[in-house]
Amino acid sequence: MNSAVILKQVPDTEALIKVKPDGTGIVKEGVKFVINPYDEFGVEEALKKKEAAGSGEVTIVSIGPDRSVESIRTALAMGADKGVLLKIGEDEYSDALATAKALAEELKGKDYKIIFCGKQAIDDDMAQIGPMVAELMGLPCVTVVTKVDVSGDKAVCSREIEGGKEIVEVALPAVISCQKGLNEPRYASLPGIMKAKKKPLDIKDTKLDAPKATIDKWENPPQRAAGRIIEGDDAAAKAAALVKALRQEAKVI
Amino acid sequence: MADKFISERNLKFLINEVFDAPSLLQFPRYSHHTPEVFDMVIDTAMKMGRDLLKPSFEEMDKNPPRFEAGAVKVHPSVKRLMKECGEGGWISAVASLEVGGQQLPFTVGLIPTFVFSAANYSASNYPGLNMGAAHLIESFGSQEQKDTYIPLLFSGAWQGTMALTEPQAGSSVGDITTTASPTDKDYYLIRGQKIFISAADHDCVDNVVNLMLARIEGAPPGLKGISLFIVPKKRFDNDGNLVPNDLAILGIYHKMGYRGCPITQLSLGDNGDCRGWLVGEPNRGLYYMLQMMNEARLVVGMNAAAIASAAYYACLQYTRERPQGRPITSKDPSAPQIPIIEHADIKRMLLFQRAVIEGSLGLLFQCTVYSDLMLAHEGDEREKYSLLLDLLTPVAKTYPAEMAIHSVSQALQCLGGYGYCDEFPIEQHYRDTRIHPIHEGTTGIQALTLLGRNVVMKNGKALTLFLDEVEGAIKKAGARPELAAHAAQLKKAVEKLKEVIGHLVGIATGGNIDLFLADATLFMEFFGVIAVAWQWLLQALAAQSALAKGASPSDEDFYTGKMYAFRYFFAYELPKTEGMAQRLLTIDDLTLSMKPDYFSD
């Protein structure tokens, strides 16, 4: 079973993110980049499905600057078969639609039974790429998926919904966006790491369409104000002061 | 930056900028790798350390192994760990391609060990023991032994151990009494007891294979009569089924630290049917074991530096967050308190930890580089690297092992009362690291090896090579204005080292061997500080080159911090050698003449 995984390289969840003083983006220097964790579920699921089917290829498709090659290689070391990087400049930005168009262009006309992607990227949290790619390719899309059973030309997926789960049957090919709980991604193995360098990785210079939505400014969330300890001679006085503060200052009672 | 336990940046600095590990790829032995492979090894090791080992760090300490109905139960996470390390090829990382390994240079192959032991020292030992056991079989075992045992050790399905110690024979390994009686089959019958054997029984593997020292009946007494055997807990019968091998677990010891991994007491051959298979030639066991022990000693040094690193990062985070006190010159008691990292004495303690950890790591990677170069060369060059490795191995074990205790202690000190409580991880690190001067040869044994054997071996050839290496670094640093004073300082210390060695060897040639070796441990300490100072000078050279080329802002902080830790070592640690030299140059039999009777109170 051939499948593709849309993969984005994002700052490590543990990295300390600083906004540039002029608010045009984040400081990338010194930041470690990793595979978007939700995309990693996609890689694992694609590998599992290939293993269950006993044949097929897993192709990793990413858009990003040169450094994204490292993340594609990591996915290849996990067991994926080949990679494609749609290369853009380090600070080249467009919106989700332009990104999805470039991806759809790359993905179309291939024999992918499922296109996996993360439910969202943890850096800009837009959660738009999967559904947009599906729409542009005329494919069905199931989002926030925690289980996928493939049989023949359809798949039965579980999705997380408020207070329970929804079971969806979808005709293949389809786009499936992955949620935590779908699987536990494997670690790259050392033999896998050594094989990864020999697997095909196609780097294509890419020009994205101009964005229709632009980012005006980046800023940090406001600093949380310090807490206050209510002073008073005894418990009764402190309670009275607290009630007063809650009513008059916080206006919650 | 929650729960940082090692610096990936520093690892990359050491292997790329100080030791130029990618240059190892020019040798046919390593040419199937690429620098990207090295980076991905570090990345994956970090991920596994963080996600697979660290989560059970405290739990394994709080719920140590249990001995029930003659068997040992350990933390269930060990099963997954062995499987992942086996399937992922991490146990076989440095093993040769012929036996199914990846033949990574030791310099890179040891990085997962460092990362794993910083994440969870006890857990890291289970796969680590397999590396040593498999390497011993690879080096000296028969083809059949290799085919039988190595795949099972590499896959993590079986546990490997090193079984040397007996109740009456610890440091004095020549006094072991476990016996091996020849039979008319291909095996010997083993009888005896072993103690303090790490992981010799547990429920997360299918079987255990002990690499055990024993004495063949009639063998000469002492070190020359020791042979090496493979003694599995369960053995294969004629149908290929696993059956018990008459090896009983008598119990486990309850340890101060390193509590996640059991140390067991074994009884062999209670029913006269414990079978052992000879590895290599009879009576060569100690020689074989020492080959493995030298590697294991570097691993112990890595483990110690790793634990100190984990303690340092826990401490660093606390010192940034804990407000306490005001600047000494501040007169206003209502002014807000400052984070303790702003106090000079806290910075001193943090710098001390870095000086120890990063200096130790330098010396350890220097040894792995010598090991890698040794395997990549033949003839004289091979001998050169082999001698350097031999000379420095006891130092690279002992300096980190001894100093990690002090380093973790300073980490604990920074947290005050909280450091002493188990709400924070440092008290566990402190207990965990205390084993290192004890196992794989105590500090006393390492010191005797260094002074009594290594310094004088081959007429001091290893020592001469070492002094050449140090003097080479001094010369390079001397040519850089910003390092010239430090180079001169180390030169002076090296002159003192030569003087001390000349003095001690003089005592030895005068025939007073007892006096020659009486202060071997102090000599080890003296030698260790100088060796680590040499490593700091190499790191300073690399940092200065990077700064001179122009570094990005975060790199500039890194290199500047590196230079401060370097300066700290030369300002606070290296001068200690002067006092040690004073003692080492004095002829005084104080410890020799002190009689046991005088210890009456």
Side-chain angles (χ1 to χ4, degrees):
Chain A
M1 188 189 108
N2 291 340
S3 58
V5 183
I6 301 173
L7 179 151
K8 183 177 186 184
Q9 191 187 44
V10 297
D12 191 359
T13 43
E14 294 199 359
L16 198 64
I17 300 296
K18 285 184 200 145
V19 175
K20 284 186 195 165
D22 64 2
T24 57
I26 62 162
V27 180
K28 290 178 184 159
E29 188 268 313
V31 170
K32 186 181 171 185
F33 287 89
V34 298
I35 299 176
N36 175 41
Y38 294 110
D39 299 347
E40 216 171 11
F41 299 128
V43 176
E44 177 63 32
E45 200 61 22
L47 293 174
K48 277 208 163 108
K49 294 295 177 257
K50 175 187 145 181
E51 285 158 5
S55 66
E57 271 189 344
V58 174
T59 305
I60 307 295
V61 181
S62 184
I63 291 192
D66 270 331
R67 57 175 158 75
S68 309
V69 165
E70 296 157 24
S71 290
I72 298 175
R73 286 261 182 240
T74 302
L76 297 177
M78 289 169 73
D81 300 281
K82 53 188 185 185
V84 178
L85 173 63
L86 305 178
K87 195 180 102 172
I88 55 172
E90 178 66 55
D91 290 315
E92 206 172 320
Y93 169 80
S94 192
D95 59 4
L97 184 58
T99 308
K101 274 184 184 166
L103 285 166
E105 190 62 30
E106 173 59 32
L107 291 161
K108 77 176 184 195
K110 316 266 185 354
D111 173 31
Y112 302 130
K113 209 161 175 185
I114 302 180
I115 296 168
F116 291 99
C117 60
K119 66 157 183 156
Q120 69 195 84
I122 58 155
D123 53 356
D124 52 20
D125 278 340
M126 292 204 184
Q128 298 184 24
I129 294 295
M132 281 179 172
V133 166
E135 186 63 26
L136 290 164
M137 294 178 74
L139 297 177
C141 180
V142 190
T143 55
V144 204
V145 168
T146 53
K147 190 166 183 241
V148 183
D149 287 320
V150 177
S151 65
D153 280 338
K154 57 188 187 189
V156 178
C157 304
S158 297
R159 344 181 24 248
E160 273 191 356
I161 55 166
E162 183 73 34
K165 59 183 177 182
E166 185 177 65
I167 313 295
V168 179
E169 189 182 282
V170 61
L172 300 180
V175 175
I176 290 178
S177 90
C178 306
Q179 163 70 320
K180 188 178 170 149
L182 176 62
N183 54 45
E184 203 173 330
R186 67 194 68 188
Y187 299 106
S189 70
L190 190 46
I193 288 171
M194 290 168 61
K195 277 185 213 137
K197 66 183 179 203
K198 296 193 186 112
K199 291 180 177 174
L201 201 168
D202 201 3
I203 300 176
K204 301 180 177 175
D205 282 321
T206 302
K207 187 88 198 106
L208 296 176
D209 290 352
K212 290 186 174 151
T214 54
I215 295 172
D216 284 348
K217 194 169 190 301
W218 295 61
E219 47 186 42
N220 283 311
Q223 287 266 338
R224 244 192 307 172
R228 176 151 67 95
I229 295 170
I230 303 281
E231 305 285 348
D233 292 338
D234 53 25
K238 285 183 198 172
L242 176 64
V243 169
K244 194 174 164 195
L246 289 173
R247 189 169 177 83
Q248 293 180 358
E249 294 171 39
K251 298 190 166 63
V252 291
I253 54 173
Chain B
M1 286 291 185
D3 288 345
K4 182 170 175 169
F5 52 96
I6 67 151
S7 164
E8 205 175 329
R9 179 70 186 86
N10 187 51
L11 275 181
K12 289 185 175 168
F13 168 74
L14 285 170
I15 72 159
N16 294 326
E17 298 170 57
V18 180
F19 294 112
D20 191 17
S23 71
L24 291 168
L25 301 171
Q26 66 182 292
F27 301 109
R29 186 180 167 81
Y30 310 116
S31 60
H32 57 298
H33 294 294
T34 60
E36 294 77 44
V37 168
F38 295 178
D39 285 343
M40 286 174 85
V41 166
I42 298 178
D43 272 1
T44 310
M46 288 295 292
K47 208 168 168 183
M48 291 175 74
R50 190 179 66 192
D51 301 342
L52 198 57
L53 287 103
K54 194 142 195 309
S56 53
F57 167 70
E58 277 156 16
E59 223 179 281
M60 286 176 79
D61 181 66
K62 294 203 163 79
N63 303 298
R66 288 169 290 138
F67 181 60
E68 288 170 4
V72 183
K73 291 186 177 356
V74 298
H75 195 276
S77 66
V78 174
K79 197 173 182 81
R80 163 112 197 264
L81 176 66
M82 289 298 271
K83 187 171 166 277
E84 293 284 359
C85 287
E87 286 176 0
W90 303 105
I91 295 173
S92 57
V94 296
S96 69
L97 294 168
E98 288 145 51
V99 292
Q102 311 302 328
Q103 212 162 295
L104 264 186
F106 203 28
T107 303
V108 180
L110 210 51
I111 288 176
T113 299
F114 174 70
V115 176
F116 294 175
S117 49
N120 182 340
Y121 170 58
S122 289
S124 75
N125 253 281
Y126 294 89
L129 282 162
N130 279 25
M131 293 170 77
H135 193 194
L136 204 43
I137 298 174
E138 179 191 341
S139 305
F140 306 109
S142 66
Q143 193 57 46
E144 191 190 343
Q145 288 168 343
K146 290 181 199 174
D147 295 344
T148 307
Y149 297 105
I150 290 181
L152 291 160
L153 290 168
F154 279 172
S155 74
W158 286 19
Q159 177 70 59
T161 83
M162 298 293 150
L164 285 78
T165 305
E166 298 180 4
Q168 80 296 343
S171 288
S172 184
V173 66
D175 286 308
I176 62 162
T177 58
T178 293
T179 55
S181 315
T183 67
D184 54 8
K185 304 274 176 19
D186 65 342
Y187 57 83
Y188 289 67
L189 287 175
I190 310 289
R191 188 184 290 273
Q193 280 208 4
K194 292 283 171 187
I195 60 162
F196 300 153
I197 310 306
S198 284
D201 185 55
H202 65 89
D203 56 343
C204 288
V205 284
D206 301 333
N207 195 16
V208 178
V209 53
N210 300 287
L211 274 292
M212 186 178 290
L213 293 184
R215 198 176 278 292
I216 297 174
E217 275 178 346
L223 300 173
K224 291 191 165 67
I226 294 174
S227 302
L228 177 65
F229 292 89
I230 293 172
V231 185
K233 182 184 153 202
K234 288 185 261 182
R235 65 186 188 230
F236 287 113
D237 68 9
N238 292 336
D239 303 323
N241 300 314
L242 280 175
V243 296
N245 189 31
D246 192 18
L247 184 158
I249 309 297
L250 299 182
I252 55 176
Y253 286 85
H254 299 279
K255 308 192 293 296
M256 166 185 180
Y258 170 36
R259 292 166 67 112
C261 186
I263 52 168
T264 56
Q265 180 160 5
L266 311 178
S267 184
L268 313 151
D270 289 350
N271 304 307
D273 190 30
C274 176
R275 298 178 189 178
W277 283 265
L278 180 69
V279 178
E281 305 283 317
N283 300 334
R284 297 275 289 157
L286 193 68
Y287 166 76
Y288 300 152
M289 196 58 108
L290 281 176
Q291 304 280 303
M292 190 284 304
M293 289 281 277
N294 275 339
E295 256 171 53
R297 284 169 177 167
L298 295 181
V299 169
V300 168
M302 278 284 178
N303 294 156
I307 294 174
S309 163
Y312 167 72
Y313 285 106
C315 160
L316 179 62
Q317 188 184 351
Y318 183 88
T319 60
R320 287 189 196 287
E321 290 168 1
R322 168 76 169 170
Q324 199 70 190
R326 295 168 183 82
I328 285 177
T329 49
S330 164
K331 299 274 186 266
D332 176 9
S334 63
Q337 302 199 79
I338 56 172
I340 60 173
I341 196 169
E342 292 182 28
H343 297 301
D345 194 48
I346 298 287
K347 285 188 272 193
R348 179 189 59 78
M349 290 191 274
L350 290 167
L351 279 165
F352 170 73
Q353 293 172 61
R354 286 191 62 171
V356 168
I357 297 160
E358 295 167 27
S360 296
L361 274 177
L363 186 58
L364 286 156
F365 281 121
Q366 181 71 69
C367 286
T368 61
V369 167
Y370 287 149
S371 170
D372 290 330
L373 290 171
M374 177 183 81
L375 292 175
H377 286 89
E378 296 295 335
D380 288 351
E381 284 289 287
R382 189 184 185 103
E383 193 203 7
K384 172 186 157 183
Y385 295 120
S386 164
L387 285 169
L388 283 164
L389 177 62
D390 234 19
L391 176 74
L392 291 175
T393 294
V395 187
K397 188 253 175 187
T398 304
Y399 183 88
E402 291 285 347
M403 293 307 289
I405 298 170
H406 297 285
S407 181
V408 179
S409 176
Q410 294 296 285
L412 194 152
Q413 186 72 16
C414 288
L415 274 73
Y418 288 117
Y420 198 64
C421 299
D422 67 3
E423 275 78 12
F424 286 88
I426 300 181
E427 63 85 28
Q428 186 186 334
H429 291 308
Y430 192 55
R431 289 183 287 107
D432 282 353
T433 206
R434 189 60 188 81
I435 184 64
H436 294 314
I438 300 171
H439 65 177
E440 305 297 351
T442 61
T443 294
I445 294 294
Q446 306 296 334
L448 289 176
T449 306
L450 176 68
L451 181 59
R453 174 183 178 270
N454 296 1
V455 163
V456 291
M457 68 185 167
K458 301 212 165 181
N459 277 327
K461 192 168 177 188
L463 179 71
T464 308
L465 290 167
F466 167 71
L467 293 172
D468 287 350
E469 296 270 295
V470 179
E471 279 157 9
I474 290 173
K475 207 170 155 197
K476 262 195 208 162
R480 298 190 77 114
E482 63 279 11
L483 298 176
H486 298 94
Q489 192 190 346
L490 181 58
K491 193 172 168 52
K492 221 173 114 194
V494 169
E495 291 308 319
K496 216 45 157 182
L497 173 67
K498 290 185 201 166
E499 191 186 339
V500 164
I501 291 171
H503 169 77
L504 291 172
V505 170
I507 294 175
T509 34
N512 196 343
I513 302 298
D514 284 337
L515 187 62
F516 165 53
L517 294 174
D519 274 332
T521 299
L522 182 60
F523 176 77
M524 166 66 90
E525 194 179 345
F526 175 64
F527 194 106
V529 175
I530 292 171
V532 172
W534 159 50
Q535 286 303 314
W536 266 116
L537 198 59
L538 292 176
Q539 293 186 37
L541 274 163
Q544 282 298 337
S545 304
L547 283 169
K549 271 187 239 154
S552 65
S554 73
D555 272 350
E556 198 173 322
D557 281 352
F558 173 79
Y559 293 121
T560 309
K562 188 58 101 175
M563 288 306 295
Y564 268 90
F566 155 72
R567 284 170 50 200
Y568 179 92
F569 194 91
F570 273 66
Y572 289 72
E573 295 300 307
L574 186 55
K576 291 178 181 170
T577 55
E578 289 170 29
M580 297 178 212
Q582 186 185 324
R583 170 65 201 166
L584 289 165
L585 288 168
T586 308
I587 298 184
D588 175 17
D589 65 349
L590 190 146
T591 50
L592 290 173
S593 61
M594 175 75 185
K595 292 189 177 142
D597 289 349
Y598 304 158
F599 289 104
S600 57
D601 281 297

